[in-house]
Amino acid sequence: MEKKILHILETVKDPEIPVLSLVDLGVITEVNVQDNTVLVKMTPTFVGCPAMDYMKAEVENALKINGYQPQVEITFEKPWSSDLISEKGKAALKKYGLAPPPDSKLFTDLEILETATCPRCNQNNTELKSPFGPTLCRALYYCHTCKEAFEQFKPV
Ligand SMILES: [Zn+2]
């Protein structure tokens, strides 16, 4: 039953990164099914992320379309971390041309921003250009090997 729900939730993508489902993003923290009612708990990624209301509405829609009664709750109970992005999600990010976030437990805050692997050549010959990319959750880098800029999903 829950697998079926997760399958439905996998069709809901991050509005900023259309290749990444909310399940792979790690924002779905709990799913409870009772008869036809599905309780979904979501945790916000970046504080003040304007996409959260949109994601909530999309989750509700996806469940309704499949005949369920959604109850979506946004809660900070389990704080989100970029480490919650699944391996599948990280692979999708990379394919999309966005460097996946490095494991936040391995670096200090300062080091982590300076650590980026180019999604094109897989090398670390990179330089942080701006900690603020086109959206809050991305930082801008330059790869000296490819001589091209790329974005990294910020580790949190
Ligand atoms: Zn490169």
Side-chain angles (χ1 to χ4, degrees), residues 118 120-121 143 145-146:
C118 172
R120 290 187 197 94
C121 64
C143 173
T145 307
C146 300

Side-chain angles (χ1 to χ4, degrees), residues 14-15 18 24 42 54 57 68 75 80 102 104-105 116 129 133 146 150:
D14 181 322
D24 288 321
M42 294 172 73
Y54 175 85
Y68 294 99
T75 160
W80 183 81
S104 73
K105 291 184 288 296
K129 283 289 173 196
C146 300
F150 68 94

Side-chain angles (χ1 to χ4, degrees), residues 1-153:
M1 190 68 166
E2 285 211 6
K3 253 200 170 148
K4 209 166 146 191
I5 303 296
L6 280 180
H7 196 71
I8 295 169
L9 296 179
E10 272 192 346
T11 64
V12 184
K13 310 292 184 193
D14 181 322
E16 282 166 4
I17 308 160
V19 293
L20 192 62
S21 81
L22 298 193
V23 176
D24 288 321
L25 182 60
V27 295
I28 309 280
T29 56
E30 213 178 305
V31 175
N32 264 306
V33 185
Q34 274 180 354
D35 301 324
N36 219 30
T37 303
V38 180
L39 177 77
V40 178
K41 284 192 180 174
M42 294 172 73
T43 185
T45 49
F46 295 87
V47 176
C49 182
M52 209 59 208
D53 286 338
Y54 175 85
M55 291 193 221
K56 181 176 180 243
E58 287 293 290
V59 166
E60 287 168 348
N61 276 340
L63 289 168
K64 274 183 204 159
I65 287 167
N66 286 278
Y68 294 99
Q69 183 63 44
Q71 259 184 36
V72 183
E73 197 186 308
I74 292 175
T75 160
F76 290 88
E77 262 170 47
K78 290 176 194 153
W80 183 81
S81 149
S82 53
D83 297 337
L84 292 174
I85 298 177
S86 70
E87 287 308 312
K88 195 176 137 214
K90 286 180 182 167
L93 281 177
K94 201 173 159 190
K95 222 174 150 195
Y96 189 60
L98 207 59
D103 191 331
S104 73
K105 291 184 288 296
L106 297 179
F107 305 96
T108 65
D109 284 356
L110 217 92
E111 278 173 350
I112 204 159
L113 266 180
E114 287 172 359
T115 308
T117 305
C118 172
R120 290 187 197 94
C121 64
N122 288 317
Q123 288 183 41
N124 296 312
N125 187 14
T126 59
E127 192 186 331
L128 176 67
K129 283 289 173 196
S130 163
F132 304 102
T135 68
L136 263 183
C137 57
R138 303 186 203 176
L140 211 59
Y141 292 84
Y142 182 80
C143 173
H144 290 290
T145 307
C146 300
K147 308 217 180 309
E148 273 189 71
F150 68 94
E151 290 168 26
Q152 182 182 53
F153 197 99

